[in-house]
Amino acid sequence: MPARVLVVDDVLANVKLLEARLTAEYFEVVTAMSGQEALDVCARAQCDIVLLDIMMPGMDGFEVCRRLKADPATHHIPIVIITALDQPSDRVKGLEAGADDFLTKPVSDIALLARVRSLTRLKMMTDELRLRAVSGHQAGMAAVATDTILDNGLNGRILIVDDRAASTERIQTALRDTHTVDVESSPQEALFRAAETEYDLMIVSLGFTDFDALRLCSQARSLERTRNLPLLLIAEQEDTARVLRGLDLGVNDYLVRPIDRNELVARVMTQVRRKRYADRLRTNVQQSMELALTDSLTGLYNRRYMETHLETLIEKASQTERPLALVLIDIDHFKPINDTYGHDAGDEVLRQFSTRLQSSVRGIDLACRYGGEEFVVVMPDADLSVARAVGERLRRNIAAEQFPVSKGVKKIDVTISVGIAMRREGDAADTILKRADEALYQAKRDGRNRVVSDAA
């Protein structure tokens, strides 16, 4: 699906010109003739990037930009200001309003298309993260949006890669009051430093005499540890072709010498904010995955995860002809604990039991909460004697020390019953679980607080 570009300008001729340029490159173009119309289009999620004029009647482009970036529903949409205004102060004002770039008319087709492609590519990557985060953990998305809007882009950690002392000193001076700034004169060492340190931005000079700085950018994009690190190029006036090539390689932004201090500060803040936004989305996605796989009360893997992975472990054990044990555990008389001490106390018991469970099993074992007060431990490469030894160790560990509840005011005795089943040739997951369940109920019938195997 082609990227959808919103062109905003109150001059029809300008709109038609940009529309023709973009359509020829197979972009889908939406147009708006006023600031309010642009806000309405964006609110309906009908664009991937906004090309925005500044001088419009009513609501000017700066205000449109500020409103889009202040709205949680639209703050992630890239905005490129395209205007006849050409003063450094105008660029800084646009960047401070939240624009991702500021291009002065007349804009070459090559530069415009390279920027649009670069920013829409970034937008689509962000959209994928947003979709995964929203579908998995809706509650966390509001916090992500709020934190991003309130983020001032300050206190980032910046790595400057440049072998000219005078150049790095000017950049350091501009940034050191608001960011932590490191300098590396060797591009090869810079890659190692970027991979080992959590930087928010790497600023790369194109002025190396004996090294192609774009190679460093390409390498940074190919490494897992630096793939998402924003890159900002420092270029000379004659470096246009290399800058465009850098954008194709995944460079996020660039500045042309002589560098305006305020513009540098504004562009760095934008990249730091974008990096933090993407990091928050990735964290949200990771939390969503963990919530889908783990039990929120105990922190153990949940039943869904266990059932998915049990089949895989059984298949592997069958292929290698290695033993596999399944241990099913039930906390004895758990309902009376809830009835006597309350459900909060029952939850405390479950959490403490899970901690003791994890300390009693082997590192390769898969410990899960099966449901309620039942737990499962899948033990690869464990014969019956090993499984019984682990089951007995856990049983003694639970019975030996009382469980403090009600913030430690009360302590209660807890015991468990354990059923063990060994994998047999041709067993499916539900077959082993059923035999472990039968062994568990035998342990309960025999008086609880004991370990029984289906082979007994």
Side-chain angles (χ1 to χ4, degrees):
M1 181 177 177
R4 182 178 293 149
V5 183
L6 171 61
V7 176
V8 187
D9 199 314
D10 64 320
V11 178
L12 183 59
N14 293 340
V15 171
K16 291 299 183 182
L17 179 61
L18 280 175
E19 184 176 17
R21 288 179 178 179
L22 295 164
T23 302
E25 295 297 324
Y26 305 104
F27 289 102
E28 185 177 341
V29 179
V30 182
T31 63
M33 303 293 289
S34 70
Q36 186 57 56
E37 188 180 356
L39 294 177
D40 294 341
V41 171
C42 292
R44 295 194 297 268
Q46 291 184 324
C47 67
D48 296 305
I49 186 171
V50 180
L51 304 186
L52 179 63
D53 185 38
I54 291 298
M55 295 179 292
M56 296 185 293
M59 188 187 306
D60 67 16
F62 294 128
E63 180 62 21
V64 173
C65 193
R66 280 190 286 267
R67 292 196 186 189
L68 288 174
K69 293 301 181 179
D71 187 341
T74 58
H75 69 90
H76 62 286
I77 301 175
I79 299 173
V80 177
I81 291 176
I82 301 179
T83 178
L85 299 177
D86 59 357
Q87 295 302 305
S89 59
D90 296 321
R91 284 200 301 275
V92 172
K93 186 176 180 181
L95 294 168
E96 289 178 342
D100 295 87
D101 207 347
F102 190 106
L103 301 179
T104 302
K105 298 176 182 177
V107 181
S108 75
D109 288 358
I110 295 176
L112 173 65
L113 294 171
R115 209 67 185 103
V116 170
R117 290 192 183 101
S118 173
L119 287 170
T120 53
R121 184 168 59 239
L122 179 64
K123 162 72 161 46
M124 289 175 180
M125 291 170 58
T126 304
D127 281 349
E128 183 178 351
L129 275 175
R130 292 179 71 249
L131 179 62
R132 292 166 63 187
V134 168
S135 61
H137 193 29
Q138 179 71 51
M141 282 301 293
V144 169
T146 300
D147 290 346
T148 301
I149 292 169
L150 296 177
D151 193 338
N152 57 16
L154 300 179
N155 300 314
R157 185 154 191 181
I158 316 298
L159 177 62
I160 302 172
V161 188
D162 195 341
D163 61 353
R164 292 181 289 184
S167 173
T168 57
E169 177 59 30
R170 285 193 293 272
I171 297 174
Q172 275 187 297
T173 301
L175 299 177
R176 64 162 56 107
D177 290 340
T178 51
H179 301 279
T180 300
V181 183
D182 297 331
V183 176
E184 179 54 64
S185 60
S186 166
Q188 292 86 351
E189 288 299 319
L191 190 63
F192 287 114
R193 291 184 66 170
E196 294 169 357
T197 307
E198 292 295 327
Y199 286 108
D200 295 299
L201 174 66
M202 184 160 68
I203 300 175
V204 181
S205 170
L206 283 177
F208 286 93
T209 56
D210 57 352
F211 185 84
D212 184 356
L214 292 183
R215 185 170 299 280
L216 171 61
C217 298
S218 176
Q219 291 170 335
R221 282 291 169 262
S222 66
L223 291 179
E224 180 68 29
R225 292 293 303 275
T226 57
R227 186 166 296 155
N228 300 308
L229 174 64
L231 304 174
L232 188 152
L233 290 179
I234 303 296
E236 304 293 342
Q237 295 285 348
E238 64 271 16
D239 283 334
T240 301
R242 298 181 69 202
V243 167
L244 297 178
R245 178 63 176 147
L247 293 173
D248 284 340
L249 290 172
V251 167
N252 300 76
D253 204 354
Y254 65 93
L255 275 166
V256 177
R257 301 183 197 272
I259 297 173
D260 178 82
R261 180 188 183 281
N262 293 326
E263 184 175 355
L264 169 65
V265 170
R267 289 186 184 275
V268 167
M269 289 169 58
T270 295
Q271 294 306 319
V272 170
R273 277 197 301 265
R274 278 196 168 276
K275 169 71 159 50
R276 290 172 178 169
Y277 175 53
D279 286 347
R280 292 183 187 109
L281 286 177
R282 291 186 185 92
T283 299
N284 195 277
V285 170
Q286 182 63 35
Q287 290 173 345
S288 300
M289 293 174 63
E290 291 174 357
L291 286 172
L293 301 177
T294 59
D295 174 63
S296 59
L297 177 64
T298 64
L300 298 175
Y301 287 115
N302 59 23
R303 179 170 181 165
R304 179 188 303 173
Y305 183 89
M306 185 276 296
E307 290 175 342
T308 300
H309 282 70
L310 179 56
E311 291 284 2
T312 302
L313 292 171
I314 291 172
E315 183 178 353
K316 183 177 179 180
S318 177
Q319 291 172 347
T320 58
E321 298 183 349
R322 301 292 298 169
L324 180 141
L326 190 142
V327 181
L328 187 58
I329 306 153
D330 186 85
I331 298 177
D332 295 329
H333 305 297
F334 186 74
K335 186 176 184 300
I337 293 175
N338 278 332
D339 293 343
T340 304
Y341 301 99
H343 287 279
D344 287 345
D347 288 347
E348 289 183 65
V349 169
L350 290 171
R351 280 192 290 266
Q352 293 176 52
F353 171 79
S354 300
T355 300
R356 297 192 198 184
L357 171 61
Q358 288 177 303
S359 66
S360 299
V361 301
R362 307 173 306 165
I364 64 171
D365 296 335
L366 177 64
C368 311
R369 185 183 180 191
Y370 195 55
E373 67 272 24
E374 281 194 327
F375 297 80
V376 169
V377 180
V378 184
M379 303 180 62
D381 275 339
D383 58 22
L384 181 58
S385 63
V386 171
R388 286 191 65 90
V390 171
E392 282 291 347
R393 180 168 67 235
L394 176 62
R395 184 193 65 78
R396 291 194 300 270
N397 188 0
I398 298 302
E401 185 178 351
Q402 289 183 306
F403 282 59
V405 297
S406 303
K407 297 182 179 179
V409 174
K410 300 175 182 177
K411 294 185 177 181
I412 59 177
D413 293 312
V414 176
T415 63
I416 60 172
S417 298
V418 181
I420 300 173
M422 299 300 300
R423 181 190 70 86
R424 298 172 184 170
E425 191 62 37
D427 272 348
D430 57 350
T431 306
I432 302 178
L433 278 165
K434 182 178 180 180
R435 287 194 281 106
D437 191 52
E438 291 170 353
L440 173 63
Y441 274 92
Q442 184 61 48
K444 288 181 174 295
R445 285 193 294 269
D446 291 346
R448 294 185 166 85
N449 190 23
R450 66 193 63 231
V451 178
V452 173
S453 68
D454 71 322

